[in-house]
Amino acid sequence: MNICAQLFLTFAKIGVCTFGGGYAMLPIMQRELVENKGWATEDQLADYYAVGQCTPGIIAVNTATFVGTSQKGIPGGVAATLGLVFPSVVIILVIAAFLSNFMHLAWIGHAFNGVRAGVVALILTSVLKLLKNSVVDKPTRVIYAVVLLLAAGGALLPAPAGVLGAVLGIVCSPVVLVIAAGVAGLCVRWAQGGKKK
């Protein structure tokens, strides 16, 4: 089968099987892209996710674009991206047409609560897999701990008002944290290389 068609169908399968956004797609992407297709390694997928977090747009769409482009250039990127969003667009249109008629039913609310709980479990599974492959020595453990504290603090604590709140909002931004972690990783490897010489 043509590689663009494979990309479209694979990412359509990922898109139709995922609830909860880009983070919830990670375990399915790991299975499909790393284990089944061999289009990326665990490390490459983690890199795609990190860059996808920093670039404008949706993480899952950015990741699909990166993977597709790595396989077949621009046509592959377009095919993977269209494959990922196509099922979502169709499902959203169907839900938008009919869901308002059923939202008053209690079992619909209970079903959504169950889906949200399942999404949390999927995200946690993905985090644990990435943790095992990415946090491998003392410097990466320190980087992980600092980023985790800043990200959790930015997400869970109420933001102070004024200039301090604005500064903390910038420091705890996912884009800033990913870039800072990347720079810290480069500095650590450079320092370790310098010691070896």
Side-chain angles (χ1 to χ4, degrees), residues 120-131:
V120 170
L122 289 172
I123 292 171
L124 181 59
T125 301
S126 299
V127 167
L128 294 175
K129 278 187 179 180
L130 289 173
L131 188 68

Side-chain angles (χ1 to χ4, degrees), residues 3-193:
I3 185 66
C4 288
Q6 288 185 48
L7 286 163
F8 181 89
L9 292 173
T10 300
F11 279 97
K13 182 163 70 168
I14 292 169
V16 81
C17 293
T18 306
F19 296 89
Y23 294 112
M25 286 184 178
L26 186 53
I28 299 173
M29 283 190 174
Q30 283 174 327
R31 187 183 68 239
E32 290 297 323
L33 306 179
V34 176
E35 297 169 17
N36 293 350
K37 297 291 185 182
W39 288 339
T41 64
E42 293 276 356
D43 290 339
Q44 287 172 328
L45 190 59
D47 292 343
Y48 291 148
Y49 249 67
V51 175
Q53 178 78 34
C54 297
T55 51
I58 302 164
I59 298 170
V61 172
N62 292 345
T63 304
T65 306
F66 296 146
V67 172
T69 303
S70 74
Q71 295 302 307
K72 190 65 177 173
I74 292 175
V78 171
T81 303
L82 290 176
L84 186 74
V85 300
F86 179 75
S88 302
V89 170
V90 172
I91 291 168
I92 287 170
L93 289 174
V94 171
I95 288 175
F98 297 106
L99 188 61
S100 59
N101 298 329
F102 300 103
M103 279 306 291
H104 65 282
L105 299 174
W107 66 270
I108 296 286
H110 297 316
F112 278 117
N113 288 338
V115 167
R116 283 193 289 267
V119 166
V120 170
L122 289 172
I123 292 171
L124 181 59
T125 301
S126 299
V127 167
L128 294 175
K129 278 187 179 180
L130 289 173
L131 188 68
K132 184 174 69 173
N133 293 325
S134 301
V135 182
V136 293
D137 55 12
K138 187 175 180 180
T140 55
R141 282 192 286 272
V142 171
I143 292 169
Y144 168 77
V146 170
V147 171
L148 178 65
L149 288 173
L150 289 172
L156 301 176
L157 299 176
V163 176
L164 180 61
V167 169
L168 286 175
I170 292 170
V171 170
C172 296
S173 160
V175 174
V176 172
L177 291 176
V178 169
I179 292 171
V183 170
L186 285 172
C187 291
V188 166
R189 294 303 173 218
W190 177 78
Q192 288 177 340

